[in-house]
Amino acid sequence: EVDRWAELQHWLTVLDKFNPDKALDPKLIVDIEKHFKYFWKEDRLDYISAEDQILSKVPKSTRQNFIVKQLFSDVLYEFRAFFNLNCYSSSEYWYSMIFGLLPRKFDKGEVIYSEGSEVEELYLVRVGVVSVGFKVMGEVNFGKDLGPQSTFGDYYIVKGKRSEFIFECKTEVEALGITKDHFLKVLGQYPKKADLVKAASINRYIELRKDVLEKKNILLKKFNKVYDQSLIYSEDYGKLEDINTYAASEKKEIESDQMIKNMLDQLNENITEFENTLDDLIIENEEDFALFSSKVDGAKSNQLLNRQLIVIHSFFILI
């Protein structure tokens, strides 16, 4: 770490020499130093990469078990919905996605996404709270808080959209980030699993959007009583959001015949894989196994899987 710190200082010095007439902003230097200090401390893959020569010589199952079970079992459990843990997803998929995890730390009050900003990373919140908000008449208001074990940004990436809301740190936040490029690359490697991930992202975002826009609509209605209606409904101040129409439109996509077929195929593959690769599951002891078994037996009550089964059931009624 001492060598890396010295290397960072040398790098900053070299950058400073490129523009001798204007010194680097001291705050920028502090931010860069804080970033790397935290990153180096929390990066579990510091000396390991997916192309690591030593790791590549280890049998595939051992390699995956080492990364998944030993290094990231807590992360997979915390974010089991994001990693499709309850859909019997394989350790191979987890392994690929894990190599994109990047430690991130944000200060209280720091804005992660602004309205209309490009989304280059998605985030898994481990510590702290991120508030999701919007502007009404120039004032920022918040409609929902996302605490530990929350995920955000994945919807914007899979849909290729800019951020609809403001995501601001209510407290200091520690998270794991995954770049858009890595996320889409892994989904491209597992196209059937990609449909499960996309469906889960859309469902989570529908709920988030509903909560936030309900608060926004309350404010718009309140202003409507004070100001002339034409002002409130002008382009400058926006109009009441149609929450249900948006949700229905999004659900049409995840209820399409092709996506239903892909999800059904993937669920069948996952169940078969689950039955044949119990050793790949994150089971620490008999108590955990009993707990996991009960979850498997009651999988239909799982919220995400239940939604998918309802969609699949509806599909078969239609045909």
Side-chain angles (χ1 to χ4, degrees), residues 80-81 84-89 196-197 199-201 203-204 254 260 262-271 274 292 294-314:
R80 50 197 176 277
N84 292 146
L85 190 63
N86 292 333
C87 292
Y88 318 118
S89 189
L196 292 174
V197 173
S201 295
N203 278 320
R204 280 196 299 269
I254 62 175
I260 291 169
N262 289 345
M263 288 193 292
L264 182 58
D265 289 346
Q266 185 58 56
L267 285 171
N268 286 333
E269 286 181 19
N270 286 342
I271 291 171
F274 166 72
F292 187 84
S294 67
K295 288 184 178 179
V296 172
D297 293 338
K300 289 185 179 179
S301 65
N302 174 269
Q303 186 177 16
L304 171 59
L305 186 55
N306 192 43
R307 286 194 184 108
Q308 294 166 348
L309 291 174
I310 290 172
V311 170
I312 292 167
H313 177 67
S314 300

Side-chain angles (χ1 to χ4, degrees), residues 195 255-265 315:
D195 279 337
E255 293 176 6
S256 67
D257 291 356
Q258 186 58 50
M259 183 168 277
I260 291 169
K261 181 180 182 302
N262 289 345
M263 288 193 292
L264 182 58
D265 289 346
F315 173 67

Side-chain angles (χ1 to χ4, degrees), residues 125-148:
V125 181
R126 302 204 74 194
V127 178
V129 177
V130 175
S131 295
V132 185
F134 48 85
K135 285 186 177 180
V136 171
M137 299 187 70
E139 295 291 328
V140 177
N141 300 269
F142 295 103
K144 188 175 181 65
D145 287 341
L146 302 176

Side-chain angles (χ1 to χ4, degrees), residues 60-270:
K60 184 177 179 180
S61 60
T62 304
R63 183 166 69 239
Q64 291 176 354
N65 283 339
F66 171 68
I67 298 297
V68 172
K69 281 186 168 184
Q70 297 298 320
L71 293 184
F72 288 94
S73 60
D74 57 332
V75 173
L76 261 69
Y77 184 74
E78 283 179 40
F79 301 99
R80 50 197 176 277
F82 174 77
F83 285 103
N84 292 146
L85 190 63
N86 292 333
C87 292
Y88 318 118
S89 189
S90 70
S91 58
E92 186 176 344
Y93 168 73
W94 300 333
Y95 179 85
S96 299
M97 194 63 77
I98 279 171
F99 272 101
L101 294 175
L102 301 169
R104 295 291 187 243
K105 189 173 185 177
F106 302 98
D107 294 331
K108 178 181 179 181
E110 187 170 349
V111 175
I112 299 175
Y113 306 147
S114 299
E115 288 177 321
S117 67
E118 291 281 358
V119 175
E120 298 298 334
E121 285 189 351
L122 67 89
Y123 297 102
L124 314 177
V125 181
R126 302 204 74 194
V127 178
V129 177
V130 175
S131 295
V132 185
F134 48 85
K135 285 186 177 180
V136 171
M137 299 187 70
E139 295 291 328
V140 177
N141 300 269
F142 295 103
K144 188 175 181 65
D145 287 341
L146 302 176
Q149 301 184 22
S150 297
T151 305
F152 65 92
D154 50 322
Y155 170 83
Y156 297 131
I157 292 177
V158 298
K159 295 287 287 183
K161 293 185 175 184
R162 293 172 178 265
S163 177
E164 184 177 9
F165 302 115
I166 298 167
F167 290 75
E168 182 178 310
C169 298
K170 188 174 184 178
T171 66
E172 186 176 78
V173 171
E174 294 182 31
L176 290 167
I178 301 177
T179 66
K180 175 168 67 175
D181 288 345
H182 182 82
F183 188 53
L184 294 178
K185 177 183 176 182
V186 174
L187 294 185
Q189 293 171 346
Y190 304 91
K192 291 182 179 178
K193 288 182 174 63
D195 279 337
L196 292 174
V197 173
K198 189 173 184 179
S201 295
I202 290 174
N203 278 320
R204 280 196 299 269
Y205 190 75
I206 286 173
E207 294 302 314
L208 170 66
R209 190 176 190 272
K210 177 176 179 291
D211 291 342
V212 175
L213 290 186
E214 281 178 349
K215 296 288 181 66
K216 184 176 183 179
N217 283 343
I218 289 172
L219 283 176
L220 287 174
K221 288 176 181 177
K222 186 182 297 183
F223 282 122
N224 192 35
K225 294 178 181 178
V226 179
Y227 296 96
D228 181 82
Q229 184 169 338
S230 62
L231 174 66
I232 288 303
Y233 283 84
S234 71
E235 291 184 1
D236 292 336
Y237 293 99
K239 58 184 179 181
L240 296 181
E241 301 280 357
D242 189 338
I243 300 170
N244 294 329
T245 299
Y246 182 92
S249 173
E250 290 293 273
K251 286 187 176 181
K252 278 184 181 179
E253 179 176 352
I254 62 175
E255 293 176 6
S256 67
D257 291 356
Q258 186 58 50
M259 183 168 277
I260 291 169
K261 181 180 182 302
N262 289 345
M263 288 193 292
L264 182 58
D265 289 346
Q266 185 58 56
L267 285 171
N268 286 333
E269 286 181 19
N270 286 342

